[in-house]
């Protein structure tokens, strides 16, 4: 409809609900469902103090709201890097750092001020997945079930 121009994600909410229902049927059949998303840095309006930036999924709010309520786990992955500050002004928010390292990867299963995550499986808060992409699923499966995938 012409009146819906520019409102695509809002108009598509019913399609997203249908998509999640289909995912639920797949999950009910005993299959694991993984939905991936890129992230973006977005300001977080903190009701308890100063606002700050955090990583959030790079999708429309209504789409994300529907998917996150359904998901049993929302995992946040990043490279394990360190930041080195050449010259400190004493103001951590204004000091510019240089990232070093960053070959080993970690998946976080619990929320943080810096990212969104959730965990209904009782996984540890951090899962070290190293730098071997072929081993990622086994590490996650082991964290969920306590045993390696066959």
């Amino acid at each position: 409809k012409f009146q819906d121009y520019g409102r695509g994600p809002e108009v598509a909410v019913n399609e997203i609900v249908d998509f999640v229902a289909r995912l639920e049927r797949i999950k009910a059949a005993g299959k694991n469902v993984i939905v991936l998303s890129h992230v973006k840095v977005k300001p977080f309006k903190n009701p308890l103090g100063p606002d700050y930036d955090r990583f959030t999924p790079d999708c429309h709010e209504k789409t994300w709201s529907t998917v996150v309520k359904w998901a049993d786990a929302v995992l946040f992955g990043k490279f394990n890097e360190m930041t080195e500050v050449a010259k400190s002004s004493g103001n951590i928010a204004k000091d510019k750092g240089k990232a070093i390292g960053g070959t080993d990867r970690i998946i976080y299963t619990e929320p943080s001020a810096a990212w969104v995550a959730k965990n209904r499986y009782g996984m540890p808060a951090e899962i070290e997945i190293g730098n071997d992409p072929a081993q990622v699923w086994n590490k996650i499966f082991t964290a969920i079930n306590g045993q390696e995938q066959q």
Side-chain angles (χ1 to χ4, degrees), residues 4-108:
D4 292 335
Y5 179 79
R7 295 183 50 233
E10 292 178 27
V11 174
V13 169
N14 290 336
E15 298 298 323
I16 296 300
V17 170
D18 183 53
F19 173 68
V20 169
R22 290 175 189 212
L23 293 178
E24 182 58 32
R25 289 193 293 275
I26 293 169
K27 190 168 82 170
K31 305 292 183 194
N32 294 306
V33 177
I34 298 175
V35 179
L36 300 175
S37 173
H38 287 277
V39 295
K40 62 184 174 186
V41 176
K42 184 176 175 188
F44 178 75
K45 299 233 181 258
N46 182 5
L48 300 175
D51 296 345
Y52 53 90
D53 291 343
R54 71 188 305 193
F55 293 104
T56 61
D58 191 7
C59 64
H60 191 271
E61 295 274 335
K62 291 185 179 182
T63 299
W64 172 243
S65 175
T66 303
V67 173
V68 74
K69 289 174 188 171
W70 168 81
D72 289 327
V74 173
L75 309 176
F76 177 78
K78 74 175 200 68
F79 287 100
N80 188 20
E81 75 280 331
M82 296 172 31
T83 306
E84 184 178 82
V85 177
K87 189 168 50 171
S88 177
S89 68
N91 183 341
I92 194 167
K94 294 193 183 218
D95 287 342
K96 185 86 169 172
K98 178 180 180 184
I100 53 176
T103 57
D104 291 332
R105 298 176 297 167
I106 298 178
I107 290 178
Y108 296 92

